[in-house]
Amino acid sequence: KIIQKRPKVFASSEDAVKWALRNQWLSNPESAQLSIPSQLRRQVRVPSSTTTTAKKKKTTAEQANEAKSRHAEPEPARIDVRYVWRTDLMQSEQHWIGWFKGMTDQLL
């Protein structure tokens, strides 16, 4: 349950560090700043520029605006940068029971 509460995506590595400290995954800020960013990978996505629009009859103003925009500089594609965990811990869930089975008895 603890791992399932972990966010899958962060806007920045700094956000991930703040989250780790706020949720007590780590208590030392210096340790969090050193260890959390290495657990993340930067993911860059460029949204598709093709969109489907319904055809409709264009007004004169719309036609004029389109003519102007054809001569204008194209807008740069918006790039979506986000940070995701480098490792999906849930993929190893099947092995957890073996790791912890009997551990309480050994520690007591």
Side-chain angles (χ1 to χ4, degrees), residues 31-94:
S31 172
Q33 290 171 357
L34 290 171
S35 64
I36 294 296
S38 66
Q39 296 177 49
L40 303 170
R41 66 182 166 85
R42 188 171 181 248
Q43 191 176 66
V44 179
R45 299 184 318 161
V46 179
S48 173
S49 63
T50 58
T51 56
T52 306
T53 56
K55 290 187 177 184
K56 66 174 188 170
K57 192 171 184 177
K58 295 180 181 173
T59 65
T60 307
E62 289 173 327
Q63 290 172 349
N65 285 337
E66 277 187 9
K68 286 179 189 176
S69 67
R70 276 188 238 125
H71 299 290
E73 290 290 322
E75 288 186 30
R78 191 172 82 65
I79 297 175
D80 181 21
V81 177
R82 60 191 201 164
Y83 291 80
V84 297
W85 295 106
R86 191 173 296 275
T87 305
D88 181 0
L89 295 178
M90 293 306 295
Q91 289 182 353
S92 64
E93 182 180 16
Q94 61 187 337

